[in-house]
Amino acid sequence: MILMHGNVISTHLESKYLDSLYDDCLNTLHHETLKPEIVIQACDTLYKRVINGEFNEIIFPLLRSSNISYERFRDMANLFSKEELEYKCKIELGSMLPPLKNGTIRKRYPLGILFHIAAGNVDGLPAYSVIEGLLAGNINILKLPSSDNGLSIRLLYELIQIEPKLKEFIYVFDVPSTDFATIQKLASIADGIVVWGGDEAVKAARNMADITTKIIDWGHKLSFAYMTSSISDDQLYQLACHICETNQVLCSSCQGIFVDTSQKEVLENIGQRFYEQLLKANKEYGKTDIGMRGKNTLRLYTDKLEDNNYKILSNEGISVVIKYDQELELSYLFRNVWIKALPHENIIYQLKPHQSHLQTCGLFCDESEKDLLASLLASAGIIRITKGNMSRMFAGEAHDGRYPLVEYSRIVEIDS
C-alpha cells in the first residue's frame, strides 16, 4: 500500500503518484513550513491512544511473536510522548543560535526532503525514523521494509488524521528491494537518504545517490558485554534476561561476552556460571521460535562434529560457546552466546579494527575499574557504555554517536 496526501492507496497506482511526487514536494517547500511543536502534539495524542489500548489488535500479536514484554513496549511507546519528544528536541537542537561576532544571523533549516530506507528488525522503527525527520521539519519519503507488518503505515496514517498539516510531509511506499528503478527514482528526489541496514544497504544507497545527496547511515552494529572476574550471579542473570528479551536481534543486543582475563580456568568458570543463568532466564521468558531453535541446534551439532576448539554448553535451544580466540563476531542469535577472554591490555588492539561496527558495551566491573575500562572501550570505538540493560532507551540519546535531528538539519547564515 501507499500513503500519499494522507490517503492509503493501492500499490498498483504507484507509477502515477511517483510521477508527481517531486513537484508535490517542491510545492510543499514553497508554501509550508513545519514546526516541531505541531509534530510533538500530534505524537503525544497518538501515544495516549496507543497506551489506552486503541491499537491492541495490532500490537499484542506483535509483542507475542517478538517475545517482547508489555513493560518494554510501554518504554518504547513513551518515546512518542510530549515530554520525551520535547526533551529530545532540547538536547539535540538546543536553544536559538546566537549571531556571529559580525552580527550575521544563524538559523536552523531542515535538509528538505528525506528518503528513509528502513530496516525491519524493530517493529515501529520505520515510523519513528519518519517522526525524527518531521521534528527537524523535513518532508519524509519512507520505503517500508519487506518484513513490515502494517504497524508503521497505520501509525503514520493515524498521525495525519490527528494533524492534517502533516499529510504533505509524509509519503510511504511499499516497494520491494528488488525494484531498483523505483528506489532510485525516490532517492533522486531526496536531499538526504536515511539508511537503516548493514554495509551492503549503505553501499547500495551511496551507489544510487547523486554526489550532492547526503547519506545518513544508521548501519547494523555489533554489541557485547565486557566483564571482570568479580561479576556476580545477579549481574549474569541481568545480562541473560537482556539476551532473552531482545533475542539478540537489535544493534544494541549482546552478541557475546569478553572477560578481562588471560586464564582459561577463569573464562570457563564464568562461562559455566553464565550458562546456568541463561537457562534460568530462558525458562522465565519462554522458549524462542521452534524454527530458530532447530536451526541453531543443527549449527551447534555441526560445530561439534567439526571438532572446533570450542567448549559448547547447550540445552533447550540456548547455548554458551566458550572460545579461545579474541575476535569480535556475530553470534548465532536467539539466545546463543559466545564468551572469550580479552585482557584489558588488548582491548584497543582487538577492537579498533571493528570501530565502524561497534555500538554498545555492557560493562560489568568494580567501580574502581570503571574509568579505565570505559576509556579503553571508548577509544576502541564503542559509543555507548551501559551498566545494565544494553538495550534501554532514553530520550536524548545519540544514535550511533550522532544526533539524528542535527543530521537532518542545516545551518543557514544571513548577514544582518
Side-chain angles (χ1 to χ4, degrees):
M1 303 298 286
I2 299 169
L3 182 59
M4 192 97 171
H5 304 306
N7 299 310
V8 178
I9 302 163
S10 175
T11 305
H12 79 272
L13 297 172
E14 180 180 281
S15 60
K16 171 187 173 182
Y17 288 97
L18 270 176
D19 290 341
S20 65
L21 180 58
Y22 186 53
D23 288 338
D24 291 338
C25 291
L26 293 181
N27 188 55
T28 299
L29 291 173
H30 180 71
H31 291 100
E32 306 285 346
T33 57
L34 186 61
K35 300 296 183 182
E37 296 81 7
I38 294 173
V39 181
I40 291 171
Q41 189 57 56
C43 287
D44 189 64
T45 300
L46 181 58
Y47 157 72
K48 290 173 180 175
R49 288 170 58 187
V50 168
I51 62 171
N52 286 334
E54 190 169 329
F55 302 95
N56 283 354
E57 80 283 358
I58 296 178
I59 291 170
F60 278 4
L62 291 178
L63 297 182
R64 286 193 296 269
S65 65
S66 303
N67 201 30
I68 297 174
S69 68
Y70 186 72
E71 290 72 23
R72 177 170 172 77
F73 161 72
R74 287 290 295 261
D75 289 342
M76 293 164 61
N78 191 50
L79 294 176
F80 290 82
S81 70
K82 181 178 181 180
E83 180 182 8
E84 296 295 276
L85 290 178
E86 285 181 341
Y87 183 72
K88 177 183 177 68
C89 289
K90 179 181 178 180
I91 291 294
E92 297 193 27
L93 297 179
S95 58
M96 296 294 293
L97 295 169
L100 300 178
K101 290 181 179 180
N102 65 352
T104 295
I105 297 170
R106 297 185 296 157
K107 293 184 178 181
R108 185 177 288 104
Y109 279 80
L111 280 183
I113 305 169
L114 295 180
F115 176 38
H116 303 256
I117 303 176
N121 62 323
V122 181
D123 294 317
L125 176 61
Y128 189 70
S129 184
V130 168
I131 287 169
E132 288 184 318
L134 292 171
L135 288 171
N138 292 281
I139 297 169
N140 298 269
I141 303 167
L142 169 64
K143 176 204 169 302
L144 290 172
S146 58
S147 59
D148 192 79
N149 44 48
L151 180 61
S152 297
I153 200 166
R154 175 75 182 277
L155 290 175
L156 294 173
Y157 174 79
E158 295 294 341
L159 200 65
I160 292 169
Q161 305 315 300
I162 294 167
E163 178 48 81
K165 290 181 181 178
L166 299 178
K167 68 181 181 180
E168 304 305 330
F169 290 86
I170 300 174
Y171 299 93
V172 181
F173 292 87
D174 191 5
V175 182
S177 297
T178 53
D179 188 353
F180 185 77
T182 298
I183 295 173
Q184 189 161 33
K185 190 167 186 177
L186 293 171
S188 69
I189 296 171
D191 300 297
I193 300 178
V194 182
V195 189
W196 298 83
D199 292 348
E200 290 304 314
V202 175
K203 183 179 179 180
R206 294 187 189 280
N207 288 338
M208 76 172 69
D210 186 84
I211 191 66
T212 60
T213 305
K214 182 177 181 179
I215 304 294
I216 306 109
D217 61 293
W218 309 113
H220 286 332
K221 303 294 182 180
L222 278 175
S223 299
F224 57 87
Y226 191 86
M227 62 183 59
T228 61
S229 57
S230 63
I231 186 82
S232 69
D233 285 346
D234 285 344
Q235 289 173 310
L236 290 173
Y237 179 68
Q238 181 185 31
L239 179 61
C241 288
H242 153 75
I243 287 168
C244 289
E245 186 175 39
T246 66
N247 283 320
Q248 300 168 277
V249 299
L250 306 179
C251 289
S252 56
S253 296
C254 178
Q255 299 301 318
I257 299 168
F258 285 121
V259 181
D260 184 11
T261 186
S262 58
Q263 299 178 34
K264 183 178 179 181
E265 296 78 11
V266 172
L267 175 67
E268 292 181 349
N269 175 262
I270 293 179
Q272 179 65 46
R273 289 171 56 205
F274 180 71
Y275 175 62
E276 293 167 2
Q277 298 303 321
L278 187 58
L279 281 172
K280 179 180 172 183
N282 184 58
K283 184 176 180 180
E284 177 74 20
Y285 280 83
K287 294 180 180 179
T288 59
D289 175 75
I290 189 170
M292 292 308 306
R293 296 204 309 270
K295 181 179 180 180
N296 285 330
T297 297
L298 288 174
R299 284 172 160 177
L300 292 168
Y301 181 69
T302 301
D303 285 344
K304 290 178 180 178
L305 289 178
E306 291 177 350
D307 194 28
N308 289 308
N309 187 27
Y310 309 156
K311 184 175 181 180
I312 300 175
L313 308 173
S314 62
N315 196 8
E316 299 181 4
I318 63 103
S319 70
V320 173
V321 182
I322 303 172
K323 297 189 174 184
Y324 303 102
D325 63 87
Q326 298 182 351
E327 293 300 317
L328 178 69
E329 60 181 303
L330 184 67
S331 72
Y332 285 162
L333 307 178
F334 294 93
R335 309 180 191 179
N336 293 270
V337 186
W338 49 260
I339 182 168
K340 305 182 181 188
L342 180 62
H344 67 267
E345 296 89 348
N346 295 353
I347 285 177
I348 289 179
Y349 300 98
Q350 286 298 132
L351 298 182
K352 185 65 174 177
H354 302 282
Q355 177 170 339
S356 63
H357 293 113
L358 298 179
Q359 198 210 63
T360 301
C361 175
L363 179 58
F364 299 87
C365 63
D366 291 338
E367 194 63 31
S368 61
E369 302 167 294
K370 181 180 176 182
D371 288 346
L372 171 63
L373 295 177
S375 178
L376 289 170
L377 290 163
S379 296
I382 285 289
I383 49 84
R384 191 165 173 264
I385 299 170
T386 72
K387 60 181 180 180
N389 186 348
M390 294 170 58
S391 295
R392 89 289 189 272
M393 296 172 293
F394 296 135
E397 280 193 312
H399 285 182
D400 299 341
R402 296 171 289 151
Y403 282 133
L405 302 192
V406 174
E407 294 288 333
Y408 303 160
S409 304
R410 56 197 171 92
I411 305 301
V412 177
E413 298 178 349
I414 306 169
D415 283 348
S416 59

